[in-house]
Amino acid sequence: MQMNPKIEKLVKQFAKLPRVGNRAARRIVLALMQDKTGRIDKLIDALNDARENICPCPNCGILTDRANGACEYCHDAGRANGMLCIVRDMADVWTLEKSGIFNGRYHILGGMLSGVAGVTPDDLNLGNLPARIANEKITEIIFALPNTVEGKTTQQYIISTLGDTNVRFT
């Protein structure tokens, strides 16, 4: 017997999420459908709230709920130490923050250059990077990108475009 089409549609949507396979998606859907505590309504409310109020910081790309201003990282004067860490996505920021090894500013690229995937420099969050370096008196850029062809290509591209600055790259 086949699964109900509406349940199957929901399972397929959960299975599209990163690191959620078909089996995990089915377990999630079953848990939500069988829950008697209102968990599904709370999830719907949280998703709607996020869709309406969470956006990338216009300065660094970090997800924030500050509708018209910079995020809490950009507003934190304690982070104005001349260091900027360039990362691929928000998950990298969370990892670095959890480790406690970095206390500077971040810049989220939103991906990496990839000829295979068709990702070009125009697809990345690079437009305001030179202005950030000047305005925030950045003296050191730390690359926290994957050690892959795409990561190295992205790093080299950024270094080549910022080559005229007095910034140290690590």
Side-chain angles (χ1 to χ4, degrees):
M1 180 176 268
Q2 275 194 324
M3 187 184 312
N4 177 294
K6 292 184 185 218
I7 294 174
E8 186 174 354
K9 179 181 176 183
L10 190 55
V11 168
K12 285 181 181 177
Q13 291 306 309
F14 274 104
K16 289 179 182 179
L17 294 172
R19 297 189 177 125
V20 177
N22 205 33
R23 285 179 53 190
R26 285 181 186 191
R27 286 194 299 269
I28 292 168
V29 169
L30 282 174
L32 290 171
M33 295 293 107
Q34 295 173 347
D35 183 70
K36 305 277 191 252
T37 65
R39 188 181 307 165
I40 194 164
D41 293 326
K42 292 174 186 172
L43 177 62
I44 290 168
D45 288 344
L47 287 170
N48 283 328
D49 185 42
R51 180 180 56 197
E52 293 170 11
N53 298 303
I54 302 293
C55 61
C57 172
N59 193 43
C60 68
I62 285 177
L63 295 175
T64 184
D65 64 354
R66 295 178 186 240
N68 296 318
C71 70
E72 55 274 11
Y73 294 93
C74 290
H75 277 293
D76 184 352
R79 291 182 177 271
N81 59 10
M83 295 184 348
L84 183 70
C85 184
I86 296 180
V87 297
R88 175 181 45 192
D89 56 30
M90 191 68 205
D92 297 329
V93 173
W94 289 333
T95 300
L96 287 166
E97 284 297 298
K98 186 176 179 182
S99 74
I101 61 173
F102 182 73
N103 192 37
R105 302 273 171 101
Y106 294 100
H107 191 85
I108 296 179
L109 297 175
M112 291 186 300
L113 296 176
S114 172
V116 174
V119 179
T120 68
D122 292 336
D123 298 318
L124 302 181
N125 179 26
L126 292 170
N128 70 332
L129 192 54
R132 281 196 75 190
I133 292 168
N135 295 340
E136 297 175 29
K137 298 175 179 52
I138 302 297
T139 58
E140 181 177 3
I141 292 179
I142 300 163
F143 290 96
L145 301 174
N147 191 19
T148 61
V149 171
E150 291 86 2
K152 294 297 180 188
T153 302
T154 303
Q155 180 176 337
Q156 288 304 315
Y157 175 80
I158 293 170
I159 290 171
S160 71
T161 60
L162 299 175
D164 294 340
T165 61
N166 291 329
V167 176
R168 183 173 54 144
F169 299 101
T170 55

